Amino acid sequence: MKRLSAFNFAAALALFSAVSADAADTVNTQGPTVRVDKLADGLEHPWAVEILPDGAYLVTERPGRMRIIRDGKVSDPIAGVPKVSARGQGGLMDVALASDFAKSRRLYFTAAIANRQGSGTEAFSATLSADEKRLDAVTPVFTMQRFTSGNIQYGSRIAIAPDGSLFISVGDRGDRDRSQDWRDDAGSIIHINADGSIPADNPFKDGGKALPEIWSKGHRNPQGIAFDSKDDKLYTVEHGARGGDEINQPEAGKNYGWPIITYGRDYSGAEIGEGTAKKGLEQPLHYWDPSIAPGALAVYRGAMFPEWDGNFLVAALKFQLLSRMQRDESGAFVAEERLFEGEYGRIRDIIVAPDGALLMVTDEDDGSLLRISRAEANNG
């Protein structure tokens, strides 16, 4: 699972203690009162955050930069990031640390890359140098099969499975019919080994009926993907059209319907597809109407907020909030609490830190890295 490596908690605590207390906000929720600390600002459209073993933060910026934030200071850009297509929704996107990062220094990232045919989603592996100034051994491990014009709906998040293989979400690139073409990576969840090879449990590993890297199809623009560490089930959150944002549980070889079925409408108001259900196509676990424009997804299994155990945390761009989705014992969604609405801007990424705090980045020209913790714990 992404973001579950072993960490140096003492170093992380020392790093956080360097944050000025007057930078914090206190926010009431339906449960605990939380504290919001701004760890850094001045980031240009940050897309993703990860926590390094010593508690520092690795952040991507969509124009094509990776930076490290330590002791409140933002580093110069890390060298070695390939040239990205930073147009529209494209650019440098997700980053994920290998489970053995502390030893191997290996990480993975996704980006929109351009060639003569247009642009498309690509995933890379690399190692971070010991001095943290450059990426070495930068190697493509997945390149979507067909690049096209346009600069929207690339996906793209990475979830690392317990066995170290990678699940990568790829959007339909603004061409909805591609999501139903099993010879096209667009509108898919991709499953590959860490070296880019095809896992033995892929449903189309022989390439006969579909591209061998495809795990599931019928997705529109999944920008959140995560495992639940309790049962290792995989979930996605994805942009629909108007009123069609969805949470899905991608399973091998299944079709999640876009654009044949959807609870959304075209931006013009016109109907899309054949309705909301059809035999052989999967239903979402949840959909939003109106749409919230979801970013990343985390399934909460931390110690800091035990009352949130098993909740889904969904970053939202359009409504500038964090959606906390509560589930019952069967896993069904039964309630939603909307946190921080309009307070911090477009929330792009959300992850759970080793101590159970939350980390978010805001997708703005002057974007921020934020930490959400339990107010009582920090105030003694």
Side-chain angles (χ1 to χ4, degrees):
M1 176 179 179
K2 184 183 176 186
R3 300 157 176 152
L4 283 183
S5 302
F7 291 89
N8 186 328
F9 288 92
L13 183 61
L15 178 67
F16 177 66
S17 69
V19 177
S20 172
D22 61 13
D25 295 331
T26 300
V27 179
N28 293 322
T29 76
Q30 292 175 1
T33 299
V34 302
R35 168 177 166 149
V36 182
D37 287 272
K38 183 182 290 186
L39 303 183
D41 56 15
L43 301 168
E44 186 176 359
H45 295 281
W47 223 89
V49 58
E50 277 281 31
I51 306 177
L52 296 175
D54 69 348
Y57 307 100
L58 177 65
V59 175
T60 64
E61 293 174 294
R62 188 163 53 81
R65 296 181 291 269
M66 284 189 195
R67 300 182 188 271
I68 292 173
I69 299 169
R70 179 179 284 109
D71 299 325
K73 298 178 181 179
V74 181
S75 75
D76 291 335
I78 297 170
V81 176
K83 183 179 180 180
V84 305
S85 180
R87 298 174 58 247
Q89 297 172 6
L92 182 61
M93 296 180 287
D94 203 15
V95 63
L97 304 184
S99 59
D100 65 348
F101 175 85
K103 179 180 179 180
S104 70
R105 314 283 298 171
R106 187 184 310 111
L107 56 81
Y108 309 97
F109 61 94
T110 59
I113 301 295
N115 64 18
R116 293 181 179 179
Q117 285 71 47
S119 63
T121 303
E122 194 160 10
F124 300 82
S125 67
T127 56
L128 179 64
S129 63
D131 62 7
E132 300 180 335
K133 292 184 177 181
R134 68 184 186 279
L135 296 182
D136 294 323
V138 178
T139 305
V141 293
F142 164 75
T143 304
M144 70 181 303
Q145 172 262 353
R146 179 180 156 212
F147 280 32
T148 52
S149 62
N151 51 27
I152 62 173
Q153 295 172 202
Y154 295 90
S156 169
R157 293 280 174 189
I158 303 167
I160 301 180
D163 65 0
S165 63
L166 310 179
F167 286 83
I168 301 167
S169 63
V170 181
D172 70 2
R173 299 288 287 105
D175 184 351
R176 61 183 61 167
D177 291 338
R178 295 181 69 181
S179 290
Q180 291 298 321
D181 183 351
W182 294 78
R183 294 290 177 183
D184 192 332
D185 291 308
S188 302
I189 302 302
I190 301 301
H191 183 214
I192 57 173
N193 291 316
D195 63 359
S197 61
I198 303 302
D201 62 346
N202 271 20
F204 311 107
K205 58 183 179 295
D206 60 359
K209 296 182 179 179
L211 294 177
E213 65 269 20
I214 289 176
W215 181 258
S216 60
K217 284 287 285 182
H219 304 278
R220 184 174 182 267
N221 190 24
Q223 289 194 4
I225 183 168
F227 283 95
D228 183 346
S229 61
K230 184 176 181 178
D231 57 16
D232 293 333
K233 290 182 179 178
L234 181 69
Y235 297 93
T236 59
V237 60
E238 49 199 85
H239 289 257
R242 290 175 51 187
D245 298 344
E246 296 181 352
I247 296 174
N248 285 301
Q249 183 185 335
E251 296 181 359
K254 291 189 176 181
N255 187 335
Y256 291 81
W258 174 258
I260 300 171
I261 60 170
T262 178
Y263 287 88
R265 287 178 171 264
D266 195 271
Y267 297 109
S268 68
E271 293 184 357
I272 299 172
E274 302 176 20
T276 58
K278 186 175 181 179
K279 185 178 180 180
L281 302 180
E282 304 302 313
Q283 284 289 302
L285 301 180
H286 176 80
Y287 70 92
W288 283 271
D289 188 4
S291 299
I292 64 169
L297 164 68
V299 183
Y300 191 82
R301 297 293 181 188
M304 186 171 291
F305 301 106
E307 57 271 80
W308 291 355
D309 185 57
N311 288 186
F312 279 34
L313 303 173
V314 180
L317 300 160
K318 177 182 176 182
F319 286 173
Q320 302 183 6
L321 56 82
L322 180 67
S323 172
R324 182 175 68 84
M325 305 292 296
Q326 302 173 54
R327 295 189 290 172
D328 63 18
E329 292 182 357
S330 72
F333 293 98
V334 294
E336 177 183 20
E337 180 182 14
R338 297 188 170 190
L339 305 172
F340 319 125
E341 190 164 4
E343 292 296 321
Y344 300 106
R346 291 159 48 88
I347 300 174
R348 173 66 72 178
D349 198 12
I350 174 72
I351 69 170
V352 181
D355 64 357
L358 308 177
L359 293 169
M360 304 190 307
V361 296
T362 62
D363 182 13
E364 304 287 347
D365 291 338
D366 182 4
S368 301
L369 171 63
L370 304 173
R371 181 181 188 267
I372 295 87
S373 59
R374 199 176 192 96
E376 296 90 340
N378 288 321
N379 292 334

